[in-house]
Amino acid sequence: QVQLVESGGGLVQAGGSLRLSCEASGRTFTIYSMGWFRQAPGKEREFVARITWGTGSAEYADSVKGRFTISSDTPKKTLSLQMSSLKVEDTGVYYCGAFQYGNSDYTYGQGTQVTVSS
């Protein structure tokens, strides 16, 4: 199994920036891709961005394109999300996820709270 630990959340004003980090451990050699997801109060968890572990190819949700940048350091087994021009609607719990070969769903970390105030 893979274990994931997120860090870097916090409170920021609209227009500000935050950087989230995720450290993977365990059977990391089974990881195909990693991503960030978020869940706002009263809403379902949604996709934010993902990156393919081997190629570095990245995808983003339309709502964050041009504002968020996902990156990975495969040797260090870390994942980052640089968030800029934050909006109030970016508020939520952000989860790091790992998609492993042979699995049908992501494994998630415990999440980190991001709150954007107006």
Side-chain angles (χ1 to χ4, degrees):
Q1 193 52 282
V2 171
Q3 293 79 43
L4 304 168
V5 178
E6 302 98 333
S7 61
L11 174 65
V12 64
Q13 285 191 324
S17 299
L18 273 178
R19 185 178 181 87
L20 305 182
S21 297
C22 174
E23 185 171 345
S25 60
R27 296 171 60 86
T28 57
F29 61 90
T30 64
I31 294 174
Y32 171 74
S33 67
M34 292 189 70
W36 289 97
F37 302 78
R38 66 187 181 189
Q39 187 168 20
K43 295 187 177 181
E44 294 192 353
R45 183 156 48 196
E46 65 175 5
F47 165 75
V48 174
R50 64 171 154 251
I51 189 166
T52 302
W53 209 232
T55 66
S57 175
E59 299 174 61
Y60 297 91
D62 288 343
S63 59
V64 307
K65 278 181 183 176
R67 301 188 298 121
F68 291 10
T69 303
I70 189 171
S71 60
S72 64
D73 186 331
T74 305
K76 293 184 178 180
K77 302 175 179 55
T78 59
L79 181 74
S80 297
L81 185 69
Q82 179 65 46
M83 305 185 293
S84 303
S85 302
L86 282 162
K87 304 176 181 179
V88 173
E89 52 263 42
D90 292 319
T91 294
V93 178
Y94 282 68
Y95 297 90
C96 171
F99 194 89
Q100 300 165 255
Y101 288 100
N103 282 12
S104 59
D105 199 359
Y106 280 82
T107 296
Y108 297 99
Q110 83 287 353
T112 186
Q113 177 70 45
V114 171
T115 303
V116 184
S117 66
S118 57

